[in-house]
Amino acid sequence: MALGTIGGDGRTTARVEQEIFSRGRDLKGSSFKTLMFSALGVSILVLVVLIVDVLVDGWPVLTTRLGGFISGTLRSQSTDELLGISQGLAGSLWIAIFVILLSFPIGIASAIYLEEYATQGRLTSAIDIAIRNLAGVPSVVYGLLGLFLFVTTNNGESTLFAGGITLAILVLPIVVITSAEAIRAVPSSLKQGAYGVGATKWDVIRTQVLPFAAPGIFTGTLLSLSRAIGEAAPLILVGAITDRLAPRDRSIFSPEQLDDRFTAMPIVIVGWVQEAARDVGFAAAAGAAIVVLLVVVIAMNSVAVMLRSYFEKKRG
Amino acid sequence: MVRLLPSKERLSKGSRVSAEELAADVAVDAVASEQTAPTDAIIDDDMPESDLVFNVSDLSVYYGDFRAVRDVNMAIRPKEITALIGPSGCGKSTVLRSFNRMNDLIPTARVEGTLLYRGVDLYDERVDPVEVRRRIGMVFQKPNPFPKSIYDNVAYGPRVAGQKKGLDDVVESSLKKAALWDEVKDRLNESAIGMSGGQQQRLSIARAIAGDPEVLLMDEPCSALDPIATARIEELMAELKDEYTILIVTHNMQQAARVSDRTAFYSVEVDEKSDRRTGILVEYTNTEKLFSNPDDERTENYITGRFG
Ligand SMILES: Nc1ncnc2c1ncn2[C@@H]1O[C@H](COP(=O)(O)OP(=O)(O)OP(=O)(O)O)[C@@H](O)[C@H]1O
Ligand SMILES: [Mg+2]
């Protein structure tokens, strides 16, 4: 056999080399990759510009009087020593409580029912489509709903209760959809295995479905919480206060608060941005408020990511 | 000959719906089936009906309107290994799943005919499928360890059955019976996901026997395993036979010949006009006889590889 031939069929090493060696760069592939990377770059750039912009705006407030800003209240002058966001933070906190207490349990329970108990058929797919559409309905429409259901019926008085429940309804479809998707992704081999050794339906849901779906459910629900906290439009419709809210003596955590007029972080920001036309000092306050809101939302999303990886690790 | 009535008719006729529990029912069923069981299902005449683990008469399984298998008659004797063989799509898994009501989980699936477990009609409306599956466990084709620790996998069945004490002993003895104890005894709290395929399948067996069932149903338990892991499972089955009645679906005829006492050969019957394919039980007899001297030509063709 001649040196450098393989199997005696005349395929020399040189020829095989020629055949199997890489033929330079895969042009289409690499240009596509560049395109994807630029797309990602653009979104990151937009985010960075946004953050830098609000940081620059809010810098004076954030660096000189952050504590007072957080504990302060809505004021008519931007130079007021007591100007701050405590009422907005409190309102947003209350909204989060509404979402956690109403949307999470109702949404997750609905998802479990739809995926595990309801007989799959025309009715369930109709419900599925309806919920998906609800999730796509513009948020002002939910604001209108809240206005009619909870404000008009209350002699036109806007209350924190109306705002909280409106946003809880707004994110409910998102919670249902994300939870249902997480539940649907549970491998049927796990369920079959559990049934095969004598588990009841509830055992299967408790010990297989929920633990496996937990990371997805947590991510979805916490993202919906961020959404609720960032919404302004529906709150404006149900009558959140954009300019001034008389400070009260009672604690912002007192439940009597629920019957009262209210504001929330996005509303405070909208209000101050508008006021900046009159009193330019409010631009700094608005920037600082945006930074605080961003920090809260990012913190919440980090918790979501952490919980997710915790549960993912736990399920092996 | 008086045929066994399907359970619903029997129930509506009987006035004992609310009464004496299944025990009374068992006795009546046993008597009833003695007169009526199709003779071709019984292999040896020396076993009284009431000692049979399963007695299947005229079982048909439907998925919606589609009849997947029809008119199955089989008697399964205790502490034997029964193999179900036949070409793909002939309904082996379908029949196997009807033995512990796993078919209930498929919304379109429906069962006709009678399937007696120790004389009790498994499809009687008073029967709780969960209790059935605690007595008749199942091992699947693909190993499906739960994403939990090895210990929690094995303890799963007893736990859902409400057992809280003595789990350590159950886990140890089940893993020993499944020939897995020595390999995992030092890492019971590690996740089962990291085990090899063969270990995972033995874990599935340990999980199935931890609930102390009487019967094990295995649907192609070795098809995802290499020959060595397969040999271990086959060995294991021979040991488990002392305690359990085993039904195994396999595509591997050597395996059926090696491990089983009796073999059921299923095939597909194609209706020329409608092109409907229905599974049928062609021949059910002692494994030795089925592989050396089958009665049916179709069996012969299949085992000699002329049909497939
Ligand atoms: N869930 C289901 N819904 C509808 N039809 C089904 C379902 N499961 C099985 N079938 C049909 O029933 C028939 C028998 O299927 P089955 O899975 O019992 O065959 P099998 O003998 O186990 O085949 P294999 O050897 O390939 O596993 C097939 O025609 C199959 O398409
Ligand atoms: Mg099968």
Side-chain angles (χ1 to χ4, degrees):
Chain A
M1 207 201 299
L3 192 71
T5 67
I6 298 162
D9 63 352
R11 297 169 78 90
T12 60
T13 306
R15 182 154 157 225
V16 173
E17 262 183 8
Q18 195 197 344
E19 279 172 10
I20 67 174
F21 274 14
S22 157
R23 249 164 268 179
R25 281 154 51 90
D26 167 13
L27 259 183
K28 274 186 202 155
S30 47
S31 43
F32 194 65
K33 191 171 147 194
T34 317
L35 202 72
M36 301 272 110
F37 190 74
S38 337
L40 180 67
V42 169
S43 7
I44 291 178
L45 194 72
V46 169
L47 194 67
V48 167
V49 168
L50 198 99
I51 290 177
V52 168
D53 184 51
V54 293
L55 265 178
V56 168
D57 280 351
W59 198 252
V61 175
L62 291 170
T63 45
T64 55
R65 50 178 295 264
L66 183 60
F69 185 66
I70 286 175
S71 61
T73 54
L74 296 173
R75 300 278 148 169
S76 53
Q77 300 301 320
S78 67
T79 47
D80 195 320
E81 296 261 290
L82 298 175
L83 177 77
I85 53 173
S86 70
Q87 295 145 316
L89 277 176
S92 289
L93 197 85
W94 274 106
I95 287 165
I97 292 174
F98 270 89
V99 169
I100 290 169
L101 292 186
L102 289 177
S103 315
F104 287 9
I106 297 176
I108 296 172
S110 312
I112 294 174
Y113 182 82
L114 278 176
E115 291 301 319
E116 295 293 327
Y117 287 97
T119 326
Q120 302 298 321
R122 247 177 248 144
L123 184 66
T124 44
S125 42
I127 292 175
D128 194 61
I129 292 169
I131 294 176
R132 273 166 203 284
N133 283 328
L134 279 179
V137 167
S139 56
V140 276
V141 178
Y142 284 94
L144 277 177
L145 180 84
L147 180 63
F148 287 126
L149 282 184
F150 311 113
V151 179
T152 326
T153 54
N154 192 27
N155 303 321
E157 283 190 41
S158 312
T159 60
L160 179 55
F161 177 80
I165 211 161
T166 302
L167 285 186
I169 295 173
L170 168 80
V171 299
L172 187 57
I174 307 173
V175 177
V176 177
I177 291 172
T178 47
S179 308
E181 255 153 29
I183 289 170
R184 210 172 301 157
V186 177
S188 68
S189 64
L190 289 185
K191 296 198 236 173
Q192 297 250 333
Y195 281 121
V197 293
T200 62
K201 183 154 217 158
W202 174 239
D203 289 328
V204 173
I205 291 173
R206 185 173 53 87
T207 61
Q208 306 288 348
V209 174
L210 288 182
F212 195 93
I217 292 178
F218 272 110
T219 319
T221 48
L222 278 159
L223 284 178
S224 74
L225 189 56
S226 312
R227 164 104 196 265
I229 286 178
E231 277 289 346
L235 288 181
I236 292 174
L237 275 168
V238 294
I241 305 275
T242 50
D243 43 20
R244 246 147 297 152
L245 194 65
R248 303 269 176 186
D249 295 337
R250 63 166 173 261
S251 150
I252 50 173
F253 296 108
S254 117
E256 283 162 42
Q257 199 84 7
L258 287 177
D259 263 340
D260 227 332
R261 310 216 67 180
F262 72 104
T263 189
M265 282 307 287
I267 303 294
V268 169
I269 292 165
V270 170
W272 281 345
V273 169
Q274 284 168 347
E275 298 240 351
R278 175 176 63 83
D279 173 351
V280 91
F282 276 114
I290 293 173
V291 172
V292 173
L293 182 59
L294 273 178
V295 167
V296 169
V297 168
I298 289 172
M300 258 164 38
N301 288 351
S302 321
V303 170
V305 170
M306 265 151 41
L307 275 177
R308 185 199 178 101
S309 60
Y310 169 76
F311 280 103
E312 261 169 5
K313 230 177 254 143
K314 219 175 132 191
R315 86 183 179 196
Chain B
M1 197 155 85
V2 190
R3 285 261 156 211
L4 260 185
L5 292 168
S7 59
K8 276 207 185 104
E9 290 171 50
R10 199 150 43 85
L11 271 178
S12 54
K13 276 194 179 176
S15 54
R16 54 191 162 78
V17 179
S18 61
E20 276 79 36
E21 298 295 327
L22 282 174
D25 207 27
V26 172
V28 177
D29 277 334
V31 174
S33 42
E34 207 158 348
Q35 322 160 334
T36 59
T39 45
D40 55 345
I42 306 297
I43 294 154
D44 301 326
D45 294 323
D46 56 355
M47 177 150 291
E49 277 285 325
S50 53
D51 288 348
L52 292 173
V53 177
F54 290 109
N55 195 1
V56 183
S57 21
D58 295 335
L59 178 83
S60 296
V61 186
Y62 294 80
Y63 294 108
D65 293 335
F66 169 62
R67 180 154 72 164
V69 220
R70 70 170 176 85
D71 302 324
V72 173
N73 290 290
M74 271 177 104
I76 312 280
R77 297 157 55 112
K79 302 193 177 162
E80 285 196 347
I81 300 182
T82 304
L84 278 61
I85 62 168
S88 200
C90 65
K92 305 177 296 293
S93 302
T94 300
V95 169
L96 195 74
R97 282 198 300 263
S98 49
F99 278 103
N100 72 341
R101 297 200 46 175
M102 285 297 278
N103 276 338
D104 290 21
L105 303 175
I106 303 169
T108 55
R110 187 164 53 86
V111 167
E112 255 177 27
T114 322
L115 208 162
L116 300 181
Y117 163 63
R118 295 271 179 201
V120 181
D121 183 352
L122 277 185
Y123 288 85
D124 187 300
E125 55 190 24
R126 289 168 294 176
V127 168
D128 177 0
V130 170
E131 288 299 331
V132 171
R133 294 180 202 130
R134 283 179 187 161
R135 286 164 182 75
I136 306 168
M138 190 144 201
V139 176
F140 299 84
Q141 176 169 2
K142 230 177 107 228
N144 57 348
F146 301 149
K148 301 177 191 294
S149 70
I150 294 171
Y151 185 100
D152 289 342
N153 263 274
V154 182
Y156 188 85
R159 274 188 181 139
V160 295
Q163 184 177 347
K164 290 195 179 69
K165 285 185 206 134
L167 284 173
D168 289 357
D169 296 338
V170 172
V171 169
E172 180 171 342
S173 73
S174 306
L175 284 169
K176 277 182 175 156
K177 281 188 209 164
L180 193 57
W181 175 251
D182 291 332
E183 285 158 71
V184 301
K185 62 173 186 277
D186 299 322
R187 50 182 184 121
L188 291 177
N189 290 317
E190 280 173 35
S191 169
I193 304 294
M195 304 168 89
S196 77
Q199 288 175 328
Q200 289 185 354
Q201 197 59 303
R202 275 178 284 147
L203 182 71
S204 304
I205 294 173
R207 193 172 68 196
I209 57 189
D212 198 24
E214 183 186 1
V215 184
L216 287 178
L217 307 176
M218 302 183 165
D219 195 345
E220 302 186 41
C222 304
S223 66
L225 305 183
D226 70 78
I228 293 173
T230 300
R232 294 215 61 172
I233 304 263
E234 287 180 11
E235 254 169 57
L236 177 59
M237 287 172 66
E239 283 163 28
L240 293 174
K241 204 176 106 172
D242 293 341
E243 269 182 78
Y244 306 94
T245 304
I246 299 177
L247 275 81
I248 175 177
V249 169
T250 176
H251 270 150
N252 179 334
M253 278 186 274
Q254 285 77 29
Q255 180 169 65
R258 277 193 301 265
V259 301
S260 72
D261 300 295
R262 312 195 186 256
T263 302
F265 170 61
Y266 284 80
S267 188
V268 189
E269 189 183 59
V270 186
D271 184 82
E272 305 271 302
K273 278 184 227 125
S274 61
D275 201 37
R276 287 229 147 174
R277 307 168 73 83
T278 314
I280 48 166
L281 173 57
V282 175
E283 188 164 357
Y284 174 43
T285 184
N286 295 316
T287 298
E288 222 184 277
K289 171 162 167 35
L290 190 123
F291 282 103
S292 59
N293 181 24
D295 285 335
D296 199 291
E297 200 186 345
R298 291 168 291 180
T299 316
E300 170 123 38
N301 288 343
Y302 185 74
I303 60 174
T304 53
R306 277 198 290 268
F307 166 73

